[in-house]
Amino acid sequence: MAAKARTRPKQVEAPGGEPADTLREYYERMSLVRAFELRSSEMYARAKIGGYCHLNLGEEATVVGLMAAIETRDYLFTGYRDHGYALLRGLSPERVMAELFGKSTGISGGRGGSMHLFDSESRLFGGYGIVGGQIPPATGVALGLTYQQKPGPDAAAVMCLLGDGTTNIGAFHESLNLAGLWHLPIVYVIVNNGLGMGTTVEKAAAEPDLYKRGASYRIPGVRVDGDDVLAVRDAAREALQQARESRQPVLLEVMCYRLRGHSVVDPARYRSAEDTTIAQDSDPVPAFRAQLIAAGVLSETDAAAIDADAEARTTAAVTFADESPEPHPDDLFKYVYATSVANAPSALPGEPVMDAL
Amino acid sequence: MSPQQTLATGTAVRAPESLTMAAALNAAIRDAMVDDPTVVLFGEDVGPLGGVFRVTDGLYAEFGETRVSDSPLAEAGIVGTAIGMAMYGLRPVVEMQFDAFSYPAFQQIVSHVAKMRNRTRGKIPLPIVIRIPYAGDIGGVEHHSDSSEAYWTATPGLTVVSPSNPADAYSMLREAIASDDPVIFMEPKSRYWSKASLALPVQTEPLNRAVVLREGTDVTLIAYGPTVKTALATAEQAAIEGLSIEVIDLRSLSPFDDETVGASVQKTGRAAIVHEAAQFGGYGAEVAARLTERNFFYLAAPILRITGFDIPYPSPKLEEYFLPTPDRILAALSTWEWS
């Protein structure tokens, strides 16, 4: 991963010009995502969470920065590493954790699980479990916006998150071409953690400076340090502004580290000890915490209270998920079609499952 | 091509050892690579990681990056590149990481892999193996549990096979790699960790043959891949109730072994097919139609399909209801009139 700027650990510097309340709030959010993800990992190990589970650990500054930049009216698409984004889009930890548990109280009744967190009310349009799946639909929403809205500061835009590995799949290039060609209000955000599962960016991308990959579609690229929550927020805001006011699509590359394996079950043995050390040294959560304490924004006691609160909220989420009812098998047939046109009698709603062929 | 021709003799016989299906597949690729320098391997994270299911574990270390390489996340590119490599004279073995990850490659597989030989009047064969881990019962969701076989079996030009046990996994993969035709090699994920004692290189029945795994007189129960275990358990349970079930492991979905399956159906007069994929338009429909056309006057009852429901693959909490079980199969058989 030689092309990544490995600058951590950083000098402690006062986050100048930011109101203390804002900084405090960002730390609260980072702490919540951290606590939630650590608990998700634990719950997966305890087999409370099934399927596949990918964590935002190490990417908290990126998650918080991006979600601070996006507006309520904007549309959000993500890949499968989506828990933190869902939480900061305003979904309660209880309902997100219940979704991870596959419980009926989850945001999709337990149907989507970890990789498919959808909430149309908050314009979180997923959560996609297959690499690149989100990019054409996100581009489509941006096209839809051009039908119904005029560009301007109050217009909505689309933020489409993707991983570094995703920039190699055809859908990425097809979508960027359309967005560039049709001047769509969309920001594609590459969350570059340096590894597509176990394959490094340098081994997968002929142009490892991924923000440059928009060049052939005349989409400007910006790279920002993903460990710096304010830098991420500002870069994303600027990009969204271009999208909403000028209908200029932007490719924003956020450089961060994944603290652990690709998914909860991946021991990341492809990773060198050195790389793991750098990832841990660059951990944005303790870094931001120390930064705020050094700048006098938080006392050690304040920070500990914030962490304790995040823990408590996560614990409440786990309790809620644990105590929620399991999904009922009758429910299997309920949402496949809007009208009852299923092909086999076994698929008619209401029929007891065990009697069906 | 007889099976004897397909396994090279350069691979020494080893002492029996307990192998998982994943390890047997690994050994098959390894042995094929030792025997044939034109065999190359690539796919997403098949290198140092050894693949998500560790089927390619250790091959990168043994054969190096020239022959075992990680590809970018680009399934159409992976399969398309394999086509070119095969045209050039190599024998690529490529991995689609999960069943539904193969869909971006659909165009390359259906329009080119399947058609090249016919298109060029036999001048350009494509000896490609596309390995696809498929089916569920592992707590995956949707596209990590898909049974995509009917998409491939509906496409002339493709050979579609699925082993159900470690011995077949080894033997069938060796034969698939040695085949001059493109093979969609469907690996049942839930069986990756099933074990058997094998003295490699083991050679089982030819790739295109079905096998009778358990003889019976009353019903022919047809299964493949992940449902073979279910079918055997069903036969076991039925025997207690006095029902004699013959279990057939199809192994090859396309071509279909009419001879073996037909003989069984003519003997028992009743047949049912079990698969995880949805029923409507599924592979079982073809089996039922084909067997009916050829064996109508031997049949005492309509051929049944016990399958996954006609819904997208459900979440982990609900998959136990979706998957065919011995109870569901026996319940289905009890709907026949028995006289």
Side-chain angles (χ1 to χ4, degrees):
Chain A
M1 291 192 289
K4 272 188 74 170
R6 297 202 180 268
T7 53
R8 291 283 179 180
K10 283 198 171 146
Q11 297 296 311
V12 173
E13 55 197 39
E18 282 301 315
D21 284 353
T22 306
L23 294 168
R24 182 192 170 87
E25 205 173 299
Y26 290 172
Y27 181 68
E28 285 170 356
R29 293 176 193 174
M30 284 169 71
S31 183
L32 176 66
V33 175
R34 171 59 53 97
F36 189 91
E37 294 296 62
L38 286 173
R39 201 61 68 86
S40 299
S41 176
E42 184 193 335
M43 290 302 123
Y44 192 91
R46 290 197 198 175
K48 296 279 188 185
I49 296 173
Y52 295 86
C53 190
H54 310 76
L55 306 175
N56 288 124
L57 291 174
E59 300 176 0
E60 289 87 348
T62 296
V63 177
V64 173
L66 292 174
M67 293 302 95
I70 193 171
E71 301 289 341
T72 315
R73 63 183 179 280
D74 295 331
Y75 295 82
L76 177 64
F77 287 74
T78 82
Y80 40 74
R81 206 176 293 285
D82 56 353
H83 304 171
Y85 298 101
L87 291 174
L88 300 190
R89 200 62 182 153
L91 300 178
S92 77
E94 282 82 359
R95 293 188 63 215
V96 177
M97 189 63 84
E99 184 65 26
L100 268 51
F101 274 46
K103 295 296 187 80
S104 57
T105 53
I107 56 175
S108 299
R111 287 309 183 80
S114 164
M115 297 187 291
H116 307 104
L117 298 175
F118 278 75
D119 182 58
S120 52
E121 280 172 28
S122 63
R123 298 189 171 178
L124 168 60
F125 278 16
Y128 290 77
I130 291 193
V131 166
Q134 73 274 32
I135 311 177
T139 308
V141 169
L143 178 60
L145 284 172
T146 65
Y147 288 158
Q148 300 201 328
Q149 294 192 359
K150 296 265 177 259
D154 297 326
V158 179
M159 179 184 277
C160 177
L161 308 179
L162 51 133
D164 43 86
T166 314
T167 62
N168 301 311
I169 211 157
F172 172 77
H173 297 277
E174 294 181 23
S175 297
L176 260 66
N177 186 51
L178 290 180
L181 190 66
W182 294 338
H183 306 288
L184 303 182
I186 184 165
V187 177
Y188 299 98
V189 183
I190 305 167
V191 180
N192 181 353
N193 59 29
L195 289 164
M197 193 169 278
T199 303
T200 62
V201 170
E202 287 69 31
K203 281 196 145 189
E207 172 51 276
D209 290 338
L210 302 180
Y211 69 98
K212 295 178 181 169
R213 298 191 103 172
S216 52
Y217 314 109
R218 296 193 174 175
I219 292 181
V222 181
R223 178 182 268 180
V224 65
D225 178 2
D227 289 337
D228 184 336
V229 62
L230 300 178
V232 172
R233 179 201 62 186
D234 293 345
R237 258 187 199 156
E238 165 72 27
L240 282 165
Q241 191 187 350
Q242 288 191 54
R244 69 176 97 251
E245 293 185 14
S246 318
R247 285 196 179 151
Q248 172 60 60
V250 179
L251 183 59
L252 175 63
E253 182 185 17
V254 185
M255 308 298 283
C256 46
Y257 288 94
R258 207 173 67 196
L259 271 182
R260 296 198 181 170
H262 166 72
S263 72
V264 177
V265 294
D266 173 18
R269 59 181 183 175
Y270 43 79
R271 212 160 174 175
S272 69
E274 186 204 2
D275 189 50
T276 305
T277 308
I278 297 173
Q280 284 163 357
D281 287 349
S282 71
D283 188 341
V285 180
F288 192 56
R289 191 183 196 271
Q291 203 180 353
L292 295 192
I293 290 172
V297 174
L298 293 177
S299 68
E300 179 63 49
T301 320
D302 294 336
I306 289 172
D307 295 342
D309 184 57
E311 276 299 314
R313 289 183 71 189
T314 307
T315 302
V318 167
T319 307
F320 174 82
D322 221 11
E323 290 172 355
S324 289
E326 300 283 351
H328 197 276
D330 283 355
D331 207 34
L332 275 170
F333 306 110
K334 224 171 186 173
Y335 302 104
V336 183
Y337 296 98
T339 47
S340 297
V341 291
N343 296 313
S346 60
L348 290 175
E351 187 177 351
V353 172
M354 298 308 293
D355 294 348
L357 289 187
Chain B
M1 176 168 45
S2 82
Q4 281 70 29
Q5 289 172 313
T6 60
L7 295 194
T9 50
T11 315
V13 178
R14 281 147 274 177
E17 55 180 323
S18 176
L19 291 174
T20 61
M21 178 183 279
L25 292 164
N26 179 280
I29 301 170
R30 183 195 165 273
D31 290 353
M33 292 183 78
V34 169
D35 284 348
D36 182 352
T38 66
V39 175
V40 293
L41 183 66
F42 63 107
E44 291 158 10
D45 273 307
V46 299
L49 183 71
V52 164
F53 297 102
R54 306 295 182 257
V55 169
T56 57
D57 202 18
L59 301 176
Y60 176 82
E62 183 170 352
F63 296 99
E65 194 156 25
T66 321
R67 292 184 70 191
V68 182
S69 52
D70 282 333
S71 68
L73 291 160
E75 288 83 4
I78 292 169
V79 173
T81 308
I83 293 172
M85 293 171 93
M87 292 169 95
Y88 181 74
L90 297 170
R91 288 186 179 272
V93 178
V94 298
E95 175 176 300
M96 302 283 103
Q97 200 163 69
F98 281 86
D99 27 68
F101 296 14
S102 62
Y103 304 151
F106 198 79
Q107 137 84 348
Q108 291 291 328
I109 296 175
V110 171
S111 296
H112 303 300
V113 172
K115 295 177 171 60
M116 190 69 74
R117 184 185 179 85
N118 181 65
R119 183 186 289 156
T120 61
R121 301 287 100 185
K123 290 208 174 64
I124 301 181
L126 291 183
I128 300 171
V129 175
I130 301 172
R131 296 182 35 246
I132 306 179
Y134 82 114
D137 205 11
I138 58 159
V141 287
E142 288 189 15
H143 37 66
H144 288 73
S145 296
D146 256 11
S147 290
S148 47
E149 62 270 28
Y151 301 136
W152 313 125
T153 56
T155 305
L158 298 176
T159 297
V160 185
V161 303
S162 180
S164 70
N165 59 72
D168 271 347
Y170 179 90
S171 183
M172 290 167 70
L173 186 52
R174 289 297 309 267
E175 211 176 324
I177 294 172
S179 170
D180 284 335
D181 283 317
V183 177
I184 306 290
F185 197 89
M186 307 203 62
E187 302 170 3
K189 290 192 283 282
S190 61
R191 305 305 297 152
Y192 268 141
W193 303 280
S194 63
K195 285 188 172 174
S197 178
L198 300 179
L200 297 179
V202 67
Q203 189 158 348
T204 61
E205 289 296 306
L207 189 61
N208 57 1
R209 297 310 295 262
V211 296
V212 176
L213 283 185
R214 176 185 172 119
E215 295 200 352
T217 52
D218 299 332
V219 178
T220 299
L221 194 55
I222 303 159
Y224 52 88
T227 55
V228 169
K229 179 177 172 256
T230 319
L232 287 169
T234 307
E236 196 70 32
Q237 204 168 313
I240 300 167
E241 295 166 25
L243 184 68
S244 172
I245 293 182
E246 179 148 303
V247 176
I248 290 185
D249 179 356
L250 279 184
R251 301 168 81 251
S252 172
L253 278 58
S254 177
F256 180 80
D257 183 356
D258 286 302
E259 196 184 331
T260 303
V261 185
S264 175
V265 170
Q266 289 180 14
K267 180 175 76 173
T268 62
R270 293 171 192 268
I273 176 151
V274 187
H275 60 59
E276 285 189 21
Q279 188 166 99
F280 191 87
Y283 183 70
E286 175 60 30
V287 173
R290 194 171 178 97
L291 289 175
T292 304
E293 282 164 358
R294 285 152 206 244
N295 306 283
F296 182 73
F297 295 105
Y298 293 90
L299 289 171
I303 294 171
L304 295 176
R305 294 167 288 160
I306 301 97
T307 66
F309 303 121
D310 291 336
I311 60 173
Y313 198 89
S315 60
K317 297 261 158 144
L318 291 168
E319 72 176 342
E320 62 176 300
Y321 300 99
F322 176 90
L323 294 167
T325 57
D327 283 347
R328 251 176 71 198
I329 294 167
L330 291 173
L333 303 189
S334 73
T335 63
W336 276 330
E337 279 188 29
W338 294 86
S339 53

